Amino acid sequence: MKAATKELKQVAGVTVRRADKTAAFLLIDTEEYHKNLDDILADSSKFVRLTRNPNDDTKREANRTIEAVNAATKAIQLPVISEDFWLGYLYGNVKSHKQGNPLRPIISQCPTPTYQLAKRLNAILTPYIPNRYYVTSSAEFLEKITDSMCDGVIAVPVDETIDLNANRVYRNDSTPTLNIPEPALRTLLAKCTKRAPFTTH
């Protein structure tokens, strides 16, 4: 399967993309695929075009907070960001169940400065969140929303989610208080979730 997918990717004018919410792969005209992505990015209420790469600023600002946390706790709680990084990457999965091959935009943050930090924060926060309130993978999330049969738009209010996490960690008698200062945790969570610069094509 991997060999076939790799071979198809070499075909001029054809883009291989995963179908949304399934494990299937689809072939879509490359020009149509790029046009659909451009239509998504044209929404200025959701996306802002950057004139410079913000990764160095993000790394510097995050490290300032990380070093303060490590000094305050007298132990290395978080790894300093020291490597070179790239922008995230936007791609689209095809909504094969809808006409016109619309895309579900997905931004991969794997190559960004805050990716490993986000994974570390997730590991720190997971014990504070009851099992019934979180999922372990995107596949599990899709399964739950598919089973719910609810109509509407799914949105994650970032500031409210940070508030909920902070209240659970610092104002909950059933778990020990985290030894990372709350303002620092809030700052790092915001940097991991509210800054998502990316490129595409």
Side-chain angles (χ1 to χ4, degrees), residues 61-81:
E61 293 166 6
N63 275 339
R64 190 179 302 125
T65 303
I66 289 170
E67 290 166 355
V69 167
N70 292 342
T73 59
K74 307 301 181 183
I76 297 177
Q77 294 285 332
L78 301 170
V80 174
I81 302 170

Side-chain angles (χ1 to χ4, degrees), residues 39-49 105 107 153 196 198:
D39 289 344
I40 292 171
L41 293 173
D43 186 348
S44 59
S45 68
K46 297 177 181 177
F47 303 101
V48 176
R49 185 178 295 275
I107 302 173
V153 177
F198 61 86

Side-chain angles (χ1 to χ4, degrees), residues 105-181:
I106 299 172
I107 302 173
S108 171
Q109 291 292 297
C110 295
T112 65
T114 55
Y115 179 70
Q116 291 299 328
L117 172 62
K119 291 180 66 174
R120 176 69 176 128
L121 291 175
N122 179 68
I124 290 172
L125 293 177
T126 294
Y128 291 86
I129 310 301
N131 289 343
R132 64 183 183 277
Y133 291 142
Y134 70 85
V135 295
T136 57
S137 68
S138 57
E140 183 183 352
F141 173 71
L142 289 174
E143 181 181 345
K144 286 183 178 295
I145 63 173
T146 300
D147 292 343
S148 69
M149 300 296 290
C150 294
D151 293 327
V153 177
I154 297 175
V156 179
V158 176
D159 290 329
E160 289 87 341
T161 301
I162 291 175
D163 287 340
L164 289 171
N165 276 278
N167 287 333
R168 185 72 190 178
V169 170
Y170 297 103
R171 284 169 285 282
N172 176 32
D173 294 336
S174 64
T175 55
T177 300
L178 187 66
N179 63 352
I180 296 176

